[in-house]
Amino acid sequence: MNESKMQTAILPVDVQNIGTVRAIPCKDDLLDSLCLEFDADNPDVANILLAADQLKHSDVPVAFPTETVYGLGADATRSAAVKGIYKAKQRPADNPLIVHFASLKQLRALLRPDYVPQGAMQKTSGVAQSNGAHSNEDEDPIPSIYHPLISRFWPGPLTIILPNPLNSPLAPEVTAGLNTFGARMPRHLLALALIQRAGVPVAAPSANASTKPSPTAAEHVAYDLDGRIETIIDGGPCDVGVESTVVDGMSTPPLVLRPGGISIEQLRACPGWEDTRIGYKNSSEEGSKPKAPGMKYRHYSPKAKVVLYEAGTQPPSGQTLGTTYAMYALHPPGEDTSSSRRVGVIATKRWVMDYSSGAPTLSDQPTTAQTNGAHPDHGALGFAGMLETLHNAPTPKGVLKSHQLHSGDSATRLLEMTLGPSTVSIARGIFAALRELDREGVDVIFVEGIDENEGETAAAVMNRLRKAAEIKIAS
């Protein structure tokens, strides 16, 4: 007997309307307790309260925005709730989850041996606060190697690998059998408000169907998970566009397990992290036991076949577009596709449509308007960056253009998305572009890669594209 589909509601929330935020420092620690005073009469707050109640009590996960991508969250201390994430995403059970916290106080409480589940949020002078128990206030359970990173990058797109404490309150499904777990404090105020109000640590992978491109807008979540979850909090498009950087400071030397919104150069500028190494591969690591999400399985892939051209490679000719289409078209053998052939192209820093020959063709043209590693990290870092997100609107998504290509008796519709030349804009738009071309029904997507050595999030973009690609073309 088939299970009935859930009704999925998209609840809009304008983060500027939910109330005020303030930090309560503890021993000069600005992030020890971030508190939000909610405007109880605002309908946006009502949506947050509903989602927080579902996070705390329901076994059906809730989708919500972070600064990186949309997350699919559940109470990390309840097995039934965490299993709901795997069920909704159809995610392999050996792929660990990242746990999100609203404050360092909440994280420290979990790491201490006398951890007490927080339960309902307590009210003190009208401010929502957690009731985590501490056994020894003078001993920080967060390893000191991470203190420079937390001070500089949290809240933000950085996940740290921590030892899972004895008698851990985390559900075993969170760690996938490992003795460690990933922890992060998101920079998005809506995410922080939701976690704080729920009063529980929140396990949250990206809110997409497993293996599909990560969602950077509420509509992407709905496309993948409609009928599988009950609530999507719509806080607008994400600012960073690729998932958090995952680092392991427990190893010697420290390792980057997944590239993301914080670059290895930025990490190496922090005390104790000068010798940070790359600990990931740009392909699926089959047969391994992944220590961080995104390491083992094919990921970030649309339905269409992806052909990745590495940076500096000449763009495909019209003949290549046609032959590759014929090789990977999803139509049944013998079907006449002369009027329905569709090919997608994602151009970044150099590819442009050239009409000099009378017909539209892709050409490689240098541009002086490139934005590379010198670009700031999507704005300010840490607490200042969190406040900045109240005022900065993310870059609009790329514009879809259509071209008609003719070769002999056949015609091909070429659908072009241009994201460049800013690396930051490419990161914000790459997943949305893959999804947009999928919705247009293309069979093959040709993608112009970027130089992963530029810094910033270029390495993260190329890591995702290499895992999504069926074919990789090198220069």
Side-chain angles (χ1 to χ4, degrees):
M1 183 175 179
N2 293 331
E3 295 184 13
S4 59
K5 291 182 64 176
M6 299 178 190
Q7 292 295 316
T8 301
I10 300 179
L11 306 180
V13 173
D14 183 348
V15 72
Q16 297 187 55
N17 292 335
I18 63 176
T20 59
V21 62
R22 63 190 180 95
I24 301 178
C26 176
K27 298 179 182 178
D28 300 321
D29 190 344
L30 189 63
L31 302 181
D32 185 76
S33 186
L34 290 176
C35 293
L36 283 167
E37 296 176 336
F38 293 106
D39 180 358
D41 297 326
N42 193 292
D44 289 24
V45 171
N47 287 338
I48 291 179
L49 298 181
L50 172 62
D53 185 71
Q54 291 174 335
L55 272 176
K56 185 172 180 58
H57 299 293
S58 175
D59 294 339
V60 178
V62 172
F64 61 94
T66 75
E67 77 279 15
T68 56
V69 300
Y70 271 69
L72 187 64
D75 180 354
T77 67
R78 293 190 295 113
S79 285
V82 177
K83 287 177 180 177
I85 294 175
Y86 286 95
K87 180 180 179 181
K89 284 177 61 73
Q90 299 178 345
R91 178 185 175 99
D94 65 343
N95 204 2
L97 303 176
I98 291 170
V99 185
H100 295 67
F101 298 86
S103 67
L104 292 184
K105 182 177 183 179
Q106 189 182 40
L107 172 58
R108 287 176 175 132
L110 184 142
L111 291 173
R112 295 184 188 277
D114 61 347
Y115 173 84
V116 176
Q118 291 181 301
M121 302 300 288
Q122 296 179 336
K123 287 281 186 176
T124 302
S125 303
V127 179
Q129 293 183 318
S130 62
N131 64 345
H134 286 187
S135 60
N136 185 348
E137 295 287 349
D138 295 325
E139 183 181 348
D140 192 345
I142 301 174
S144 60
I145 184 68
Y146 290 121
H147 291 181
L149 302 191
I150 290 172
S151 176
R152 184 175 182 192
F153 301 122
W154 274 16
L158 180 74
T159 295
I160 61 175
I161 299 296
L162 292 167
N164 198 21
L166 293 175
N167 302 316
S168 172
L170 293 177
E173 293 80 7
V174 170
T175 63
L178 297 172
N179 59 4
T180 59
F181 72 100
R184 172 166 118 79
M185 186 187 298
R187 192 173 69 195
H188 201 296
L189 267 174
L190 202 161
L192 290 170
L194 187 62
I195 298 167
Q196 181 203 81
R197 187 67 189 187
V200 294
V202 174
S206 55
N208 56 314
S210 187
T211 77
K212 297 305 178 185
S214 298
T216 54
E219 64 187 83
H220 301 160
V221 182
Y223 185 83
D224 279 9
L225 302 182
D226 183 40
R228 300 190 200 176
I229 61 176
E230 295 177 342
T231 302
I232 302 171
I233 295 294
D234 183 0
C238 298
D239 181 50
V240 177
V242 291
E243 294 86 349
S244 62
T245 301
V246 180
V247 296
D248 182 4
M250 301 291 94
S251 64
T252 304
L255 296 175
V256 175
L257 300 183
R258 183 180 73 183
I262 303 297
S263 72
I264 193 169
E265 290 81 9
Q266 291 172 301
L267 295 169
R268 286 172 176 166
C270 296
W273 292 81
E274 295 85 352
D275 194 31
T276 301
R277 308 285 180 86
I278 292 175
Y280 61 87
K281 298 179 181 178
N282 283 315
S283 59
S284 302
E285 300 177 34
E286 298 291 347
S288 64
K289 192 170 187 178
K291 201 170 186 178
M295 294 184 73
K296 180 175 181 179
Y297 295 97
R298 188 168 180 264
H299 207 13
Y300 318 112
S301 303
K303 289 182 290 187
K305 305 296 182 181
V306 175
V307 182
L308 173 62
Y309 280 65
E310 294 283 343
T313 306
Q314 287 297 311
S317 64
Q319 182 179 2
T320 300
L321 292 173
T323 55
T324 306
Y325 172 90
M327 185 184 306
Y328 285 99
L330 304 178
H331 304 285
E335 179 181 335
D336 181 12
T337 61
S338 58
S339 61
S340 62
R341 296 175 58 160
R342 293 189 175 194
V343 171
V345 169
I346 299 177
T348 57
K349 293 181 178 288
R350 296 174 63 94
W351 287 8
V352 296
M353 294 304 298
D354 184 2
Y355 294 88
S356 60
S357 63
T361 57
L362 281 170
S363 68
D364 182 68
Q365 297 184 8
T367 174
T368 58
Q370 295 187 19
T371 302
N372 52 29
H375 193 285
D377 302 306
H378 307 278
L381 299 172
F383 188 72
M386 180 189 68
L387 298 178
E388 191 177 83
T389 60
L390 285 173
H391 308 289
N392 290 351
T395 302
K397 66 180 181 180
V399 177
L400 183 68
K401 297 180 181 179
S402 178
H403 312 275
Q404 201 71 15
L405 306 181
H406 296 276
S407 178
D409 296 330
S410 63
T412 300
R413 186 182 175 199
L414 188 149
L415 296 164
E416 174 200 7
M417 295 282 289
T418 300
L419 303 180
S422 162
T423 302
V424 172
S425 295
I426 293 166
R428 286 171 176 160
I430 190 65
F431 290 137
L434 290 170
R435 286 178 172 272
E436 181 79 9
L437 291 172
D438 242 0
R439 283 196 293 269
E440 291 291 333
V442 303
D443 291 295
V444 183
I445 301 174
F446 294 83
V447 183
E448 176 196 358
I450 61 178
D451 184 358
E452 65 183 336
N453 296 314
E454 286 184 352
E456 289 294 327
T457 55
V461 169
M462 290 305 295
N463 172 263
R464 298 340 185 242
L465 288 175
R466 287 169 181 146
K467 290 192 173 185
E470 293 277 347
I471 303 175
K472 305 174 185 68
I473 311 294
S475 58

